């Protein structure tokens, strides 16, 4: 593997959600430790699953992986980091200042901005702590999905520059109180990230056009902030040997090969490795040790054909979503499970039934227009773009609060609005506008990957608490965005997952987080199911067989309502294919030609889903 040659101390694995960053980071850390290296594996993903992959509890402290001598792991827990950060700031003044003042400081420190800064604080310490680095030959970072990671890697420069210019009156003054002390640490982090002798970035992708386009954008954005030492790993490629006699495998293989042939020009010069699709889930040491090798699937490894014919389909769920003809439908889940595609499919199904629909996304890495690849009556599409919303918010504030300020006052306000925390407020305002619109039409929202979405909900909750505090004493009636999210008559949350151990566990954890926020998920959707697609190749049959236990767990333990969407032979792009996606039968209803033979799967009629 090229990306393993002449390794520097810091390795960053990044890419779109669901491409296998965690598995590759874990497999790399194990391989280095097996070679006698001292390795620290760090997850910066708010929805980290490193502990689940190893089958141990890790958390926010450096934890030895007993089964792998030389390997330790750490999951940066944003909430735990934020609490420790708040304690450091509030602790010295508690009992000294009046209680009302202390509560005001705590409220300032309750939002997602503080959570981001606190997690980032721990991240930069790992890059600059000489004593810690002396203990390890390599520190391997398993990062959050692309949009969140770019934000994290940009922050050292953003905060360092913000502090150098002496911006002390920012809207997030509370969080900034702790940042001034970290100026040299942030400058050191910038130096480490931009030094090719110390840092290597591994861009992880799948052999899919949309994913490779996302990697192209990531490459350019990270190069622009000085991270030029980049490698490309394309993960999970179906071997051609698996295509014999299996129409589905042929279609998947051809789709992947076409995507590889169209690799964006800027990526072709990067050192590139291909990792084959494994016939097993990448959980546990044995599986991870095989990931960077090329295991063969023999005839003895195959299982009987696996079929799942009686699961409800997505159209059945849409039947139950119609209700009063309007409302907010939010699709949530881990990155890479197909939220964007399924959000588009739900929106297209509703619009095709004559309902007005607004399809939108809060995912910085989502591209709904590319998924739809066309237009449909009754359907409008938008995106909550952080940069656009931040600029809109800045202009709004300057036009209102800055209207009557003198030149010096306006200059101070403009500097205040350059704080990286301004983005939090701007995105929350856009999110609130979308929620209000759901009172008169269907709004289908494709959310960002789990951790980023929970930060957005955290901001929504903080706003709700502040409004309730201010309005409660007056006795006035009020409705906040959080109250609308908690009302099942107004909001339906669909949790999207894959029929694999780790995604189902993460979806269950997300459901628990939502319930703590007073939001009850309405349904689960198992996407890209091989068991429903009835594959023929030995490798795909083995993977299909492992799905059955996970689908049963969703249906019997986790979900009030559920549906299964089969793996598609054709990429589900365009209105017509999205419409077919919602119903079982052939994934596309089209014949697949293979080796001059024609295959046409027989459609199946889904079982009517019963309400639980």
């Amino acid at each position: 593997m090229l990306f393993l040659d002449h390794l520097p101390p810091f390795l960053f694995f990044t890419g779109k959600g669901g491409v296998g960053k965690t598995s590759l980071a874990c497999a790399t850390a194990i391989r280095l430790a097996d070679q006698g290296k001292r390795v620290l594996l760090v997850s910066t993903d708010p929805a980290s699953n490193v502990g689940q992959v190893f089958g141990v509890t890790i958390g926010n402290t450096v934890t030895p992986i007993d089964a792998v001598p030389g390997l330790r792991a750490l999951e940066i827990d944003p909430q735990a980091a934020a609490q420790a950060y708040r304690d450091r700031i509030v602790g010295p003044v508690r009992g000294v200042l009046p209680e009302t003042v202390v509560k005001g400081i705590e409220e300032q420190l309750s939002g997602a901005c503080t959570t981001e800064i606190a997690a980032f604080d721990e991240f930069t310490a790992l890059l600059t702590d000489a004593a810690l680095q002396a203990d390890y030959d390599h520190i391997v970072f398993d990062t959050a999905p692309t949009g969140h990671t770019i934000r994290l890697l940009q922050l050292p420069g953003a905060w360092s520059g913000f502090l150098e210019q002496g911006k002390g009156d920012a809207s997030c003054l509370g969080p900034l109180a702790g940042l001034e002390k970290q100026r040299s640490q942030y400058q050191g982090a910038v130096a480490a990230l931009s030094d090719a002798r110390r840092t290597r970035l591994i861009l992880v992708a799948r052999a899919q056009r949309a994913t490779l386009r996302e990697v192209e954008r990531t490459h350019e954005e990270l190069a622009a902030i000085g991270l030029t030492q980049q490698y490309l790993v394309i993960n999970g490629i179906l071997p051609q040997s698996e295509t014999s006699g299996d129409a589905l495998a042929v279609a998947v293989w051809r789709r992947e090969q076409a995507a590889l042939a169209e690799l964006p020009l800027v990526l072709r010069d990067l050192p590139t490795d291909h990792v084959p699709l494994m016939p097993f889930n990448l959980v546990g040491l044995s599986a991870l040790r095989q990931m960077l090798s090329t295991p063969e699937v023999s005839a003895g490894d195959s299982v009987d054909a696996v079929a799942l014919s009686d699961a409800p389909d997505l159209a059945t769920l849409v039947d139950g979503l119609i209700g009063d003809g309007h409302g907010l439908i939010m699709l949530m889940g881990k990155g890479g499970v197909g939220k964007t595609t399924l959000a588009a499919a739900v929106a297209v199904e509703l619009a095709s039934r004559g309902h007005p629909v607004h399809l939108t996304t809060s995912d910085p890495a989502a591209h709904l227009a590319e998924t739809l690849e066309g237009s449909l009556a009754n359907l409008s599409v938008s995106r909550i773009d952080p940069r656009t919303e931040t600029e809109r918010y800045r202009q709004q504030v300057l036009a209102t609060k800055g209207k009557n300020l003198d030149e010096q006052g306006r200059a101070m306000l403009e500097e205040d609005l350059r704080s990286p925390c301004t983005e939090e407020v701007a995105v929350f305002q856009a999110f609130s506008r979308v929620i209000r619109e759901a009172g008169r039409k269907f709004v289908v929202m494709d959310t960002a990957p789990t951790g980023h979405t929970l930060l957005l909900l955290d901001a929504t909750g903080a706003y709700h608490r502040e409004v309730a505090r201010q309005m409660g004493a007056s006795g006035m009636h009020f409705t906040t965005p959080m109250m609308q999210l908690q009302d099942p008559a107004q909001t339906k949350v669909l949790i999207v997952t894959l029929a694999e151990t780790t995604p189902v566990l993460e979806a269950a954890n997300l459901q628990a987080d939502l319930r703590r926020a007073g939001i009850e998920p309405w349904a689960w959707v198992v996407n890209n199911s091989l068991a429903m697609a009835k594959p023929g190749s030995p490798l795909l049959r083995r993977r299909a067989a492992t799905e059955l236990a996970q689908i049963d767990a969703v249906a019997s333990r986790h979900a009030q309502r559920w549906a299964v969407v089969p793996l598609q032979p054709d990429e589900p792009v365009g209105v017509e294919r999205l419409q077919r996606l919602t119903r079982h039968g052939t994934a596309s209803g089209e014949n697949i030609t293979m080796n001059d033979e024609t295959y046409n799967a027989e459609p199946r009629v889904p079982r009517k889903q019963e309400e639980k």
Side-chain angles (χ1 to χ4, degrees):
M1 294 286 176
L2 297 175
F3 79 91
L4 292 172
D5 291 343
H6 305 101
L7 289 175
F10 302 126
L11 304 177
F12 282 86
F13 288 83
T14 189
K16 186 176 173 66
V19 294
K21 297 184 303 296
T22 297
S23 298
L24 275 168
C26 292
T28 300
I30 291 169
R31 182 169 180 142
L32 292 172
D34 286 346
Q35 293 171 354
K37 302 291 180 65
R38 297 165 302 160
V39 183
L40 176 62
L41 174 64
V42 180
S43 174
T44 67
D45 189 343
S48 173
N49 67 323
V50 168
Q52 294 167 351
V53 170
F54 282 109
V56 298
T57 300
I58 295 175
N60 205 38
T61 57
V62 174
T63 303
I65 305 299
D66 293 335
V68 187
L71 176 60
R72 292 171 177 260
L74 166 68
E75 293 176 328
I76 295 180
D77 179 348
Q79 299 304 324
Q83 186 57 51
Y85 186 90
R86 284 189 288 267
D87 291 343
R88 288 200 303 272
I89 294 177
V90 178
V93 301
R94 196 182 298 281
V96 177
L97 296 178
E99 186 63 23
T100 55
V101 176
V102 174
K103 286 190 183 227
I105 296 173
E106 288 177 329
E107 188 60 38
Q108 274 190 305
L109 295 170
S110 67
C113 185
T114 299
T115 305
E116 179 179 58
I117 293 170
F120 153 73
D121 214 17
E122 294 198 12
F123 161 69
T124 54
L126 294 169
L127 294 171
T128 56
D129 187 334
L132 178 70
Q133 292 170 27
D135 291 335
Y136 300 101
D137 298 302
H138 299 286
I139 300 180
V140 179
F141 290 88
D142 166 38
T143 70
T146 305
H148 197 279
T149 294
I150 290 174
R151 170 76 172 151
L152 183 68
L153 296 179
Q154 286 172 335
L155 276 172
W159 282 116
S160 181
F162 191 75
L163 292 171
E164 285 172 4
Q165 296 171 44
K167 310 302 182 295
D169 296 319
S171 58
C172 44
L173 180 60
L176 284 175
L179 284 174
E180 180 65 32
K181 301 175 184 178
Q182 309 298 331
R183 185 194 302 266
S184 61
Q185 178 172 303
Y186 297 164
Q187 291 172 337
V190 172
L193 288 169
S194 58
D195 186 350
R197 295 168 299 177
R198 299 163 69 188
T199 300
R200 175 173 298 175
L201 199 78
I202 296 99
L203 305 175
V204 185
R206 297 296 295 266
Q208 300 163 350
R209 288 184 177 91
T211 305
L212 292 171
R213 285 195 297 269
E214 176 64 27
V215 169
E216 177 186 19
R217 284 183 285 268
T218 303
H219 163 70
E220 293 175 338
E221 290 193 53
L222 294 177
I225 58 174
L227 279 78
T228 57
Q229 183 74 345
Q230 299 181 19
Y231 284 64
L232 175 63
V233 177
I234 302 177
N235 187 32
I237 299 175
L238 183 67
Q240 185 177 7
S241 59
E242 292 295 321
T243 60
S244 178
D246 184 355
L248 177 65
V250 167
V252 171
W253 180 81
R254 285 180 177 171
R255 188 169 72 197
E256 291 181 346
Q257 294 303 309
L260 294 174
E262 298 168 9
L263 191 69
L265 288 175
V266 297
L267 299 180
R268 294 183 183 180
D269 292 333
L270 295 181
T272 301
D273 291 304
H274 292 175
V275 177
L277 181 68
M278 299 290 114
F280 41 76
N281 287 331
L282 289 163
V283 176
L285 292 177
S286 175
L288 290 168
R289 282 193 168 102
Q290 295 182 66
M291 187 178 187
L292 298 178
S293 62
T294 53
E296 294 291 331
V297 181
S298 67
D301 292 329
S302 65
V303 298
D304 292 337
V306 177
L308 185 71
S309 59
D310 62 348
D313 61 11
L314 195 56
T316 306
L317 287 186
V318 173
D319 292 340
L321 287 170
I322 293 174
D324 296 328
H326 63 83
L328 177 64
I329 301 168
M330 300 182 72
L331 286 91
M332 296 185 183
K334 172 182 166 64
V337 296
K339 294 186 303 294
T340 300
T341 298
L342 293 186
V346 169
V348 165
E349 179 69 16
L350 286 167
S352 67
R353 298 188 188 192
H355 299 283
V357 182
H358 177 188
L359 173 62
T360 188
T361 181
S362 64
D363 187 347
H367 303 281
L368 287 172
E370 294 176 4
T371 302
L372 282 169
E373 205 177 61
S375 60
L376 184 67
N378 303 317
L379 178 61
S380 61
V381 182
S382 71
R383 175 171 176 247
I384 299 176
D385 178 67
R387 292 181 182 177
T388 301
E389 297 301 335
T390 301
E391 182 57 30
R392 178 188 296 177
Y393 175 73
R394 287 184 68 254
Q395 294 304 322
Q396 174 192 341
V397 173
L398 290 171
T400 53
K401 292 185 179 180
K403 182 178 180 180
N404 298 318
L405 294 177
D406 58 21
E407 184 176 345
Q408 182 180 4
R410 188 175 177 86
M412 291 179 64
L413 180 60
E414 287 180 341
E415 294 294 354
D416 180 25
L417 291 169
R418 290 195 181 99
S419 158
C421 281
T422 301
E423 182 181 303
E424 174 199 348
V425 180
V427 171
F428 169 70
Q429 284 200 350
F431 181 55
S432 299
R433 288 196 301 271
V434 167
I435 292 176
R436 288 194 297 271
E437 188 180 353
R440 60 183 184 275
K441 63 168 64 173
F442 281 113
V443 175
V444 180
M445 174 174 279
D446 162 41
T447 66
T450 302
H452 198 280
T453 297
L454 292 176
L455 291 179
L456 181 59
L457 292 177
D458 180 48
T460 310
Y463 174 79
H464 169 77
R465 291 190 296 273
E466 178 62 19
V467 170
R469 184 178 66 83
Q470 294 180 6
M471 301 293 290
S474 68
M476 294 178 63
H477 174 75
F478 63 92
T479 301
T480 66
M482 179 57 81
M483 292 166 69
Q484 291 179 267
L485 294 177
Q486 293 170 335
D487 184 352
Q490 299 185 63
T491 301
K492 303 286 194 302
V493 173
L494 276 61
I495 292 180
V496 183
T497 187
L498 302 176
E500 299 172 12
T501 305
T502 299
V504 170
L505 284 172
E506 291 183 341
N509 290 337
L510 169 61
Q511 178 160 269
D513 287 332
L514 291 171
R515 285 173 171 167
R516 280 191 288 272
I519 300 170
E520 181 62 34
W522 188 77
W524 284 44
V525 183
V526 178
N527 194 28
N528 286 339
S529 169
L530 277 166
M532 181 61 75
K534 299 202 298 189
S537 87
L539 187 153
L540 295 184
R541 286 208 304 271
R542 285 191 64 191
R543 292 186 66 89
T546 65
E547 291 185 354
L548 299 181
Q550 300 307 318
I551 293 174
D552 179 69
V554 169
S556 62
R557 296 205 303 272
H558 299 307
Q560 296 186 45
R561 303 167 189 81
W562 60 289
V564 177
V565 176
L567 178 69
Q568 307 295 296
D570 300 300
E571 192 168 357
V573 172
V575 170
E576 188 177 352
R577 287 181 181 173
L578 289 169
Q579 286 178 308
R580 299 181 191 131
L581 187 70
T582 62
R583 290 172 174 79
H584 291 164
T586 59
S588 69
E590 298 171 343
N591 293 339
I592 305 169
T593 302
M594 179 187 72
N595 299 331
D596 297 324
E597 296 179 346
T598 300
Y599 292 79
N600 185 19
E602 182 179 344
R604 293 188 300 274
V605 178
R607 172 176 59 84
K608 178 66 176 177
Q609 184 170 359
E610 297 179 357
E611 292 285 335
K612 290 192 176 183

